[in-house]
Amino acid sequence: MFVLVNLKAYPCDPVAVAEAAATVADDTGTRVAVAPQAAHLSAVAATGVETWAQHVSGVDHGSHTGSTLASAVADAGAVGTLLNHSERRLRLAAIDAGLRAAEDAGLETVVCANNPPQVGAVTALGPDMVAVEPPELIGTGTPVSQADPDVVEEAVAAAGRVDDDVPVLCGAGISTGDDLAAARDLGSEGVLLASGVAKADDPEAALRDLVSGI
Ligand SMILES: O=C[C@H](O)COP(=O)(O)O
């Protein structure tokens, strides 16, 4: 199972979370990655944790003020990127361009989607992984794997109808080992989470509980 911790814009210490994630990954053999703010990528990568960007722009070098270049996040130490998170929604053409830019920079990709039909659609664009996240459950602490298990199973089926080599992650409200085990039992190959770790008083303890469900 792949555990991708998205720090979003939460007021947590990204280096402290990254160090906790690296420790848990090393101790348990679980693949854990951290996606901080772009400005924190280098500091997070320096901890040795697998580091991901929260977004990259579908552009190359040029007059693109305010963009987040895939090559720049790779230079900062990121090895992957999210695309189309519900809080950073993209048009279909922009998702495709972002995927191409990420691939050119050697970044692995997780494309997010709200529901199974969207999972099928974005799977067709050729990401490395997809993540289904019902927006209404994000940040609620109510795990999608238990609140809406059908959406997870249907997302796995939707991706499989397009390309069964694309793993499906799930996210929204995931925080405990039971949530992770439920996600795995529904066919997910990983989870995307944020508040359960970024808002935790003890991120390492939160991650140890989470991965105990594997
Ligand atoms: O990127 C993470 C997802 O939006 C889930 O967020 P959450 O774990 O706070 O519900």
Side-chain angles (χ1 to χ4, degrees):
M1 292 286 277
F2 179 31
V3 175
L4 181 47
V5 181
N6 177 7
L7 301 186
K8 300 192 176 180
Y10 286 127
C12 60
D13 176 346
V15 171
V17 173
E19 290 170 341
T23 298
V24 172
D26 291 345
D27 289 354
T28 65
T30 305
R31 185 184 178 189
V32 182
V34 175
Q37 287 282 304
H40 297 148
L41 283 168
S42 295
V44 164
T47 69
V49 74
E50 182 175 338
T51 302
W52 280 53
Q54 295 178 13
H55 167 77
V56 296
S57 305
V59 296
D60 202 341
H61 294 101
S63 54
H64 306 295
T65 303
S67 60
T68 302
L69 274 180
S71 58
V73 306
D75 291 345
V79 296
T81 188
L82 290 170
L83 284 169
N84 196 47
H85 190 282
S86 64
E87 296 151 7
R88 187 67 168 80
R89 185 64 73 214
L90 300 173
R91 293 179 185 273
L92 193 63
I95 298 171
D96 196 23
L99 281 169
R100 304 294 81 82
E103 285 163 6
D104 290 347
L107 296 171
E108 201 172 359
T109 54
V110 169
V111 176
C112 300
N114 289 356
N115 54 49
Q118 288 184 22
V119 165
V122 298
T123 300
L125 297 176
D128 292 299
M129 293 176 263
V130 294
V132 62
E133 290 201 311
E136 67 276 9
L137 292 174
I138 290 174
T140 64
T142 302
V144 60
S145 50
Q146 308 207 21
D148 195 351
D150 290 348
V151 78
V152 179
E153 286 186 317
E154 289 165 14
V156 172
R161 285 191 292 271
V162 176
D163 183 346
D164 59 11
D165 288 330
V166 175
V168 177
L169 314 183
C170 69
I174 300 281
S175 64
T176 69
D178 289 345
D179 301 340
L180 184 64
R184 180 202 56 219
D185 294 346
L186 292 166
S188 290
E189 296 186 49
V191 293
L192 179 55
L193 73 157
S195 46
V197 175
K199 292 183 173 179
D201 292 334
D202 185 342
E204 183 174 332
L207 278 167
R208 287 190 185 280
D209 175 28
L210 181 77
V211 304
S212 70
I214 292 177

